[in-house]
Amino acid sequence: MSGLATYNFAYLDEQTKRMIRRAILKAIAIPGYQVPFASREMPMPYGWGTGGVQVTAAILGPSDVLKVIDQGADDTTNAVSIRAFFQKVANVEVTTRTKEATIIQTRHRIPEEKLTEGQVLVYQVPIPEPLRFLEPRETETRKMHALSEYGLMHVKLYEDIARNGHIATTYAYPVKVEGRYVMDPSPTPKFDNPKMHMSEALQLFGAGREKRIYALPPFTDVVSLDFDDHPFTVQSFEKPCALCGAEGVYLDEVVLDDRGGRMFVCSDTDYCEDRRAQGFLGDQGVPLKEAAE
Amino acid sequence: MSVEPLLKVNGLTKMYGARIGCADVSFDLWPGEVLAIVGESGSGKTTLLSCLSTRLEATSGSVEYHMRDGAYRELSRLTEAERRFLMRTDWGFVHQNPADGLRMTVSAGANVGERLMAIGHRRYGEIREAASDWLSRVEISPTRIDDQPRAFSGGMRQRLQIARNLITGPRLVFMDEPTGGLDVSVQARLLDLVRGLVHDLGLSAIVVTHDLAVARLLSHRMMVMKDGHVIEQGLTDRVLDDPREPYTQLLVSSILQV
Ligand SMILES: Nc1ncnc2c1ncn2[C@@H]1O[C@H](COP(=O)(O)OP(=O)(O)O)[C@@H](O)[C@H]1O
Ligand SMILES: [Mg+2]
C-alpha cells in the first residue's frame, strides 16, 4: 500500500467496532430487546442500510464469506453497492450462494434455503419500534416494553380486521420473542416470519438512523401475533415459480410486456438459479445451459 | 356488603416549589359514592385529582386504596407495573378534553376494546361484541363502530371515552370537568347518562367541576376548595342548601340556579 491514509479493516475503527459488539452481545443476551448504540456516519445515506452495514462491519473477519441481498436478489443496486463496499474496505470473499456465506446482510427477505449453525443473518432495519404506529412518544414505548404492555399491538391488528375482514398486514408483521419482547422483524414479508422461529443461524438487526440493535440468538422462540379467531397465516401463491417450478417459496410479480403479460418468479434469485442448475423447470423456464448460449 | 372505604386519603399535599397546589386534604371515599370537588379556577381541583389518581406525585400525605383482594395499599408504594395495571382495569379516568383520553386515529371499536386487549383478550369476535354492546350503553349507534372519533361530535366523543373506561368494570372513576367543553343541552344528556351508569354499576367516582349544577346532579357528597385547601365538605344537598362557610355561601349564591 502507499503511504496514504487507508481504511481500517471493514471501515470502522476498532473502538467503534468494540462499542457495536458490546451492543450486539447485550442484544443477544436479551432477545428482541432494542439496544441503543452510537450509530456512526457511514459513507452512504440513511435508508441504504447503514445500521446493517455497521453490524456487519463489527462482526466481519478476514475469513468470512459475505452475501448481500435486497428483496431476495443479489444484483440490485443496494446489494451490489454494499457488497462492493465490503470488498473494498475488508477485501473479504463474497458470494451469491446462500450456503457458502458465513454472513448474509439482507433487506426485505430471508433466503429460502434453510440457514444453518454458524451463519449470521444481518437485517437492515428502517423503523425498529413496533409500537411507533400508535404511540409516538419514545418515553412511553420504552415503558411499554419494560412492563410488557403490548395491548396496542392487538389494537393495530383489530383495526386491520375491522377494515379488511382479515389481518391485512403482510410485511413488518410483529412477533413476540421468547414470550417477552414484541419485535418488528423489519420490512420482510410475513411469509418469512416462520423462518425466524428456532432458526439455527444468529439473526442481528441494525437500525442506523434510529440507532438501535436487536437480535435473535439461534433457537429462539418467535411467535407472530394474532387473534384466536383470526390466526396468523403466511401468504400462499396459486402457481409455482414460472422459472424453476418451486412451490412454497415467496414469489415476485414480473411484468413481461406492455400487453399485461406477467409471471410470478422466486424472489430469492440464488435459490431459483440453483434449482434450475439442478434441472428443475417452471412453465416459462428455459434450461440454464440454453439460456447461456 | 363491604363497609370499608374504597379510598382513604390523609394529609395529601402537593407543593409546586413554594406555591401550594393542594394542602392537607383528608377524606374517605365509600363504595358506590360520588364525590364532587368544586371550587373556582386555580383552587387546586385538578392538582388534587392528579395526586389521587397517581398521575402526579404528592409532596406529602398518603392515599390508600382497597384492592380487589381486600388489602389496603398505599398508592405511592405500588410498583409502576401494579399502578398501570390498576389504572387500566380497576380505575377509569375521564378527561375534560376527549382527545386526551381517546386514540383519535383508531376506530371507536378499537378505542373501546383496547383495555380488553391490554389484559389479554384474544378473540376478535368477543372484543367486537363487547365494544358494540358498550357503544349502545353510551347511546352511540353500533353502526358507528368502525368510525374514528374524529368524525364524532364533542358529546359523542365524551361518551366514547366513558365506554372505553368502563368496559373492564372499574370500581373507581376519576373525572376532570367531564362536561366542560360541551353545549348546555349536550351537557344535560351526558350528565343523565353518567348518573345512570354510576347507579347501575355501583361505581365510585370523584368528579372535579367548577359547575355546582354538575355537583348537584351527580354527587352524593362534595368538597369545596379554595387556595388549595378544602374549606367545607359534606353531603351535597346540605352544602348547597345550607352552606356554612362564607366563601361557599358566596359561591352558591352567585352561581347556583338549579
Ligand atoms: N404544573 C404546575 N406548576 C406550577 N404551579 C401549578 C402547576 N399546576 C397548577 N399549579 C398551580 O397550582 C394551583 C392549583 O391549580 P389547579 O390544580 O390547576 O387548579 P384548578 O384545577 O382548580 O383550576 C394554582 O395556583 C396553579 O397556578
Ligand atoms: Mg383544573
Side-chain angles (χ1 to χ4, degrees):
Chain A
M1 290 231 178
S2 71
L4 291 173
T6 56
Y7 295 114
N8 191 37
F9 177 80
Y11 187 78
L12 295 175
D13 63 90
E14 296 305 313
Q15 265 317 104
T16 298
K17 284 189 203 168
R18 264 204 289 277
M19 174 274 292
I20 295 174
R21 286 176 198 147
R22 272 199 296 269
I24 292 171
L25 286 174
K26 182 168 178 183
I28 291 169
I30 317 171
Y33 172 73
Q34 298 169 48
V35 181
F37 80 110
S39 181
R40 295 290 194 258
E41 286 296 321
M42 297 303 284
M44 59 191 73
Y46 289 125
W48 279 69
T50 56
V53 167
Q54 290 178 78
V55 169
T56 298
I59 62 170
L60 195 65
S63 59
D64 272 310
V65 181
L66 180 68
K67 170 180 164 82
V68 184
I69 51 173
D70 175 10
Q71 313 272 7
D74 298 83
D75 57 2
T76 54
T77 319
N78 186 272
V80 169
S81 68
I82 291 173
R83 196 162 55 231
F85 173 76
F86 280 113
Q87 276 178 297
K88 180 168 177 187
V89 300
N91 196 27
V92 288
E93 194 184 329
V94 294
T95 183
T96 60
R97 321 209 62 167
T98 298
K99 57 166 111 20
E100 288 172 4
T102 56
I103 298 174
I104 302 169
Q105 183 169 328
T106 180
R107 176 172 177 260
H108 292 185
R109 278 310 310 282
I110 299 175
E112 300 296 354
E113 183 154 350
K114 188 168 170 285
L115 299 180
T116 56
E117 193 183 326
Q119 290 186 302
V120 184
L121 186 60
V122 178
Y123 297 77
Q124 303 170 199
V125 180
I127 300 167
E129 181 48 73
L131 295 161
R132 183 71 73 240
F133 169 76
L134 288 170
E135 180 50 71
R137 291 167 299 176
E138 176 78 17
T139 47
E140 189 63 17
T141 54
R142 282 203 203 182
K143 207 172 272 178
M144 291 160 118
H145 283 296
L147 299 173
S148 218
E149 276 181 14
Y150 291 125
L152 265 193
M153 296 312 305
H154 278 87
V155 169
K156 189 176 173 197
L157 297 178
Y158 171 99
E159 285 293 89
D160 229 8
I161 302 172
R163 219 172 287 151
N164 306 290
H166 60 100
I167 299 178
T169 302
T170 53
Y171 64 93
Y173 191 107
V175 295
K176 195 159 203 182
V177 178
E178 287 291 324
R180 179 56 182 86
Y181 286 99
V182 165
M183 185 190 99
D184 187 326
S186 90
T188 47
K190 68 175 180 176
F191 182 89
D192 287 338
N193 277 18
K195 295 180 192 159
M196 296 183 171
H197 175 64
M198 291 293 157
S199 170
E200 289 179 28
L202 169 63
Q203 302 172 78
L204 302 175
F205 300 77
R209 185 175 31 213
E210 305 245 348
K211 303 180 170 54
R212 293 288 185 279
I213 287 172
Y214 49 104
L216 298 171
F219 302 105
T220 295
D221 183 62
V222 179
V223 176
S224 300
L225 301 182
D226 61 6
F227 286 101
D228 296 347
D229 46 353
H230 285 268
F232 172 80
T233 53
V234 297
Q235 295 101 323
S236 59
F237 298 88
E238 283 165 20
K239 289 208 256 172
C241 170
L243 295 179
C244 77
E247 295 186 45
V249 296
Y250 193 75
L251 303 181
D252 283 336
E253 186 176 353
V254 178
V255 175
L256 294 175
D257 52 45
D258 54 11
R259 297 184 307 275
R262 57 198 190 128
M263 63 177 181
F264 286 89
V265 301
C266 286
S267 111
D268 183 338
T269 52
D270 168 64
Y271 182 79
C272 198
E273 276 162 28
D274 195 43
R275 277 182 54 90
R276 279 182 284 153
Q278 291 173 44
F280 292 102
L281 217 54
D283 59 13
Q284 310 221 27
V286 184
L288 271 192
K289 277 194 215 90
E290 268 178 46
E293 278 162 15
Chain B
M1 261 304 277
S2 163
V3 287
E4 289 172 292
L6 191 59
L7 208 60
K8 295 196 274 193
V9 183
N10 223 308
L12 199 64
T13 299
K14 172 69 191 180
M15 302 298 296
Y16 296 107
R19 176 181 298 176
I20 294 174
C22 64
D24 199 23
V25 178
S26 302
F27 67 91
D28 289 344
L29 183 76
W30 298 83
E33 185 180 37
V34 179
L35 174 72
I37 302 173
V38 304
E40 63 189 74
S41 176
S43 59
K45 306 182 296 295
T46 296
T47 300
L48 175 57
L49 194 73
S50 302
C51 289
L52 294 171
S53 58
T54 72
R55 304 165 67 83
L56 198 61
E57 203 178 330
T59 310
S60 60
S62 69
V63 182
E64 286 177 277
Y65 183 65
H66 198 204
M67 306 292 278
R68 281 183 193 254
D69 66 3
Y72 281 97
R73 296 286 302 276
E74 159 66 56
L75 292 179
S76 64
R77 299 225 186 88
L78 295 181
T79 65
E80 178 77 355
E82 287 173 322
R83 191 180 72 81
R84 288 171 68 110
F85 185 74
L86 196 67
M87 287 179 86
R88 62 167 187 261
T89 54
D90 217 19
W91 289 4
F93 197 105
V94 177
H95 297 260
Q96 171 171 359
N97 179 1
D100 294 338
L102 292 173
R103 294 193 190 279
M104 297 303 279
T105 56
V106 306
S107 68
N111 265 287
V112 178
E114 179 174 343
R115 278 180 166 218
L116 293 182
M117 295 184 248
I119 59 174
H121 286 239
R122 290 294 174 263
R123 294 198 72 84
Y124 172 83
E126 288 172 14
I127 293 162
R128 199 165 167 81
E129 211 174 292
S132 173
D133 178 45
W134 267 100
L135 288 178
S136 314
R137 292 181 77 167
V138 298
E139 299 166 14
I140 296 173
S141 164
T143 60
R144 307 291 305 265
I145 192 167
D146 294 328
D147 294 350
Q148 293 186 0
R150 285 193 290 206
F152 288 4
S153 69
M156 279 173 80
R157 288 180 187 181
Q158 206 52 305
R159 283 180 273 133
L160 184 64
Q161 197 189 175
I162 289 166
R164 170 177 162 86
N165 274 281
L166 296 188
I167 193 165
T168 49
R171 294 187 299 157
L172 175 58
V173 179
F174 300 95
M175 301 188 205
D176 193 357
E177 306 274 7
T179 58
L182 304 175
D183 296 340
V184 179
S185 61
V186 178
Q187 280 187 19
R189 183 169 169 210
L190 186 74
L191 286 172
D192 273 350
L193 178 79
V194 170
R195 196 157 63 152
L197 287 170
V198 164
H199 180 263
D200 295 348
L201 301 169
L203 288 176
S204 301
I206 299 181
V207 183
V208 158
T209 178
H210 67 276
D211 185 344
L212 297 185
V214 170
R216 167 85 91 188
L217 266 167
L218 283 186
S219 70
H220 305 108
R221 207 150 54 92
M222 61 188 279
M223 298 198 310
V224 182
M225 292 190 75
K226 182 174 190 293
D227 301 331
H229 295 266
V230 174
I231 56 152
E232 179 159 3
Q233 58 175 310
L235 295 177
T236 299
D237 290 341
R238 202 283 294 155
V239 174
L240 292 178
D241 297 339
D242 178 22
R244 301 207 173 136
E245 292 296 318
Y247 176 78
T248 314
Q249 290 166 3
L250 194 69
L251 210 62
V252 169
S253 63
S254 60
I255 312 169
L256 190 66
Q257 289 131 8
V258 271

